[in-house]
Amino acid sequence: MNPLLIKLGERIRTLRKAKNISQETLAEKADLHTTYLGQIERAEVNASINTIYKIALALGISLSELFTFLSDEESTIKSNLLLSEIIQLSNKTDEETIKIISKILKDILYLTTVSSHTIKS
């Protein structure tokens, strides 16, 4: 099997599951047959770039994001480093500033979620 197809299929499955989307739902959003999406995830077929683009759109991500094949370990390490940096910065400030930063982060996450749902609709 082609290693690129394997990684792409794994990436699609990982993103789909992370977004709590079933194969059926993703296939419907991408205007694909469920069986065909399953074959893509299992690297049994070589999907066209148009099909891959439709999957990316259905997942609400860009093609470049779809082709970012970071291992879970690398991703976890990067996330942990960012969280450590945030914790170090917060240790250098007062409680009131931390509350403000927390509210800002919550607002940003909320707006990101809302705009993501708006774009999909």
Side-chain angles (χ1 to χ4, degrees):
M1 273 192 207
N2 183 323
L4 177 62
L5 296 180
I6 293 169
K7 286 184 176 190
L8 178 61
E10 289 172 352
R11 178 79 170 146
I12 292 168
R13 181 181 299 113
T14 299
L15 291 167
R16 177 178 58 76
K17 287 184 175 185
K19 293 177 181 275
N20 278 331
I21 302 173
S22 68
Q23 256 187 0
E24 292 79 14
T25 301
L26 181 58
E28 183 179 322
K29 285 182 173 187
D31 194 29
L32 301 172
H33 194 279
T34 306
T35 304
Y36 187 55
L37 179 61
Q39 291 172 328
I40 293 169
E41 287 188 359
R42 292 186 303 275
E44 296 173 352
V45 295
N46 188 358
S48 71
I49 191 68
N50 186 52
T51 298
I52 293 168
Y53 179 67
K54 288 172 25 175
I55 292 170
L57 286 178
L59 287 168
I61 61 172
S62 66
L63 271 175
S64 61
E65 192 175 350
L66 182 59
F67 282 97
T68 302
F69 300 124
L70 290 176
S71 71
D72 289 340
E73 186 176 310
E74 288 176 296
S75 182
T76 301
I77 290 169
K78 286 183 179 184
S79 294
N80 286 341
L81 288 173
L82 289 171
L83 287 173
S84 294
E85 186 178 339
I86 290 168
I87 290 168
Q88 287 174 356
L89 290 170
S90 68
N91 287 336
K92 297 178 183 177
T93 191
D94 60 282
E95 185 177 341
E96 190 59 34
T97 304
I98 292 172
K99 287 179 182 178
I100 293 169
I101 292 169
S102 175
K103 181 174 178 358
I104 291 169
L105 284 173
K106 287 176 185 175
D107 289 346
I108 290 170
L109 291 172
Y110 172 77
L111 290 173
T112 302
T113 304
V114 169
S115 66
S116 172
H117 289 292
T118 304
I119 292 171
K120 290 179 187 175
S121 301

